[in-house]
Amino acid sequence: MFGMKRTRRAGVVAALTVGVTLFAAGCAGGGTGGGATDGGDGGDGGDANLTITMLPKNLGNAYFDTSTAGAEAAAEQFGGTLEEVGPSEASPTSQVQYIQTAAQQGVGGLIVSANDPEALCDALDEARSAGVKVVTFDSDTNPECRDLYVNQATAEGIAKAQVDLIAEQIGDAGQIAILSASANATNQNAWIEMMEELLAAEHPDIELVEVAYGDDDDQTSFDKTAALLQTYPELKGIISPTTVGISAAARYLSTSEYKGKVALTGLGTPNQMREYVEDGTVTAFALWNPEELGYLAAYATQALITGEITGEEGDTFEAGDLGSYEVGPDATVLLGEPYVFDAENIGDFDF
């Protein structure tokens, strides 16, 4: 079942916080845009097709609303047009129709957070054959299915931040569970694999009893939290590496007998989690700035469209207010390391 399509001219959101960066700052950059023409022009962007479609895992997700706002701000700076489309539910094949439509419309670039590493490849290959530059962000496809991946942080860094937080909060001993998004989410699975390795190697007294899946749906994640607590009465903590999951779990814990007894950490946005930090349900959690992630993904797409980069390792490009970035192995660009939010600093952020 497919959801709504939301179209906005880049720049509608005027009061963005892109200038407040967590990881990098630099001089402004970018290019100029035009109408829908064929391909790049050697790097100056004068006649490039800077019409970009942004396809998150699903619409109505606060995390992706924020990343799209960042992409819109970037597109306004370099003179492009950005349209957000997406399904209402994050299932493996729910994005295929939107990819096909974008290719048929002749967009210059497509920015995708993939619901599955394999299921989108045929559609993405068709889009690339039609001249569309494909950038994945947040959740990758197989590398051969796209031109570039904008990674929020390394899998190792994200996994370690969450394991360190839960270990500190439960005294480095006891049972924990993981509340993930969908079972096919490439980013979630990579982080969980790393977390399992870290727990086994560095935290032998912590037992991971279950990995549950809330499918990035608020009510499903809420219900899964309740089920975990009922199934494991000795549970000491939950890691939820998804913004939907951690906020749903916090909502459940905040009005339950487990508040203050079962630790919760993972990846969330300050605006989602502020009330739960302030009321003591959550001590600390981590994330990168999703607005900056979308902003960087849009500039990377522009650089591919204009020919400033090809996606080869060692390519460099300017990403507006974030400064210069270099393409790493497997055509990957790294935003930075995760940031920990707690009661002392959460009031400093608005996203």
Side-chain angles (χ1 to χ4, degrees):
M1 178 177 176
F2 293 89
M4 298 171 58
K5 179 170 78 171
R6 184 167 50 182
T7 305
R8 293 178 287 187
R9 172 68 187 178
V12 169
V13 182
L16 297 175
T17 59
V18 171
V20 183
T21 63
L22 299 179
F23 306 110
C27 57
T32 58
T37 63
D38 293 329
D41 60 357
D44 67 10
D47 296 320
N49 176 8
L50 296 179
T51 302
I52 298 170
T53 294
M54 191 151 192
L55 177 57
K57 290 179 181 177
N58 61 308
L59 298 184
N61 182 321
Y63 173 89
F64 290 118
D65 289 345
T66 304
S67 60
T68 297
E72 288 177 328
E76 180 180 32
Q77 288 181 358
F78 58 68
T81 301
L82 188 132
E83 177 186 55
E84 183 190 50
V85 301
S88 58
E89 298 178 357
S91 65
T93 60
S94 60
Q95 296 169 304
V96 169
Q97 178 175 309
Y98 297 97
I99 296 168
Q100 294 170 336
T101 298
Q104 292 165 2
Q105 291 174 339
V107 301
L110 181 62
I111 305 173
V112 183
S113 178
N115 279 323
D116 186 278
E118 299 276 359
L120 306 182
C121 282
D122 287 347
L124 291 175
D125 287 343
E126 291 177 8
R128 294 171 73 197
S129 295
V132 180
K133 299 299 182 182
V134 174
V135 173
T136 54
F137 80 109
D138 175 70
S139 184
D140 199 11
T141 60
N142 290 338
E144 60 268 22
C145 304
R146 43 73 172 170
D147 297 299
L148 200 68
Y149 172 44
V150 177
N151 192 0
Q152 52 268 53
T154 64
E156 294 87 347
I158 294 168
K160 181 172 174 53
Q162 294 173 90
V163 168
D164 287 351
L165 284 168
I166 201 68
E168 179 181 357
Q169 292 169 19
I170 67 171
D172 206 19
Q175 294 182 343
I176 67 167
I178 293 174
L179 176 62
S180 186
S182 68
N184 296 312
T186 52
N187 55 348
Q188 304 281 319
N189 290 338
W191 302 336
I192 291 168
E193 181 179 351
M194 290 288 179
M195 283 191 269
E196 290 172 337
E197 293 176 3
L198 284 168
L199 288 168
E202 301 178 11
H203 305 275
D205 294 327
I206 297 179
E207 179 189 4
L208 176 59
V209 294
E210 185 178 336
V211 177
Y213 300 97
D215 296 327
D216 258 353
D217 177 79
D218 177 76
Q219 188 60 50
T220 303
S221 299
F222 184 91
D223 294 341
K224 291 287 186 177
T225 302
L228 285 170
L229 293 165
Q230 292 165 8
T231 304
Y232 305 100
E234 301 300 318
L235 199 67
K236 298 294 184 184
I238 298 172
I239 298 173
S240 187
T242 160
T243 59
V244 175
I246 192 174
S247 61
R251 181 162 58 88
Y252 181 87
L253 288 172
S254 67
T255 59
S256 77
E257 63 183 295
Y258 303 100
K259 179 180 177 181
K261 299 176 182 178
V262 175
L264 172 65
T265 192
L267 304 178
T269 68
N271 287 352
Q272 284 180 303
M273 299 302 295
R274 184 172 288 106
E275 65 177 292
Y276 304 118
V277 171
E278 292 176 348
D279 73 7
T281 301
V282 174
T283 301
F285 63 97
L287 194 67
W288 47 92
N289 188 332
E291 189 170 317
E292 291 180 355
L293 185 66
Y295 183 92
L296 178 58
Y299 262 104
T301 306
Q302 183 239 11
L304 284 167
I305 292 170
T306 61
E308 184 180 355
I309 61 174
T310 64
E312 291 295 317
E313 184 174 354
D315 281 354
T316 60
F317 65 98
E318 292 296 317
D321 297 332
L322 294 179
S324 297
Y325 280 81
E326 182 173 329
V327 179
D330 296 322
T332 296
V333 176
L334 181 65
L335 175 64
E337 291 302 314
Y339 186 91
V340 174
F341 300 92
D342 56 25
E344 292 185 1
N345 63 27
I346 197 168
D348 298 333
F349 299 94
D350 184 19
F351 66 88

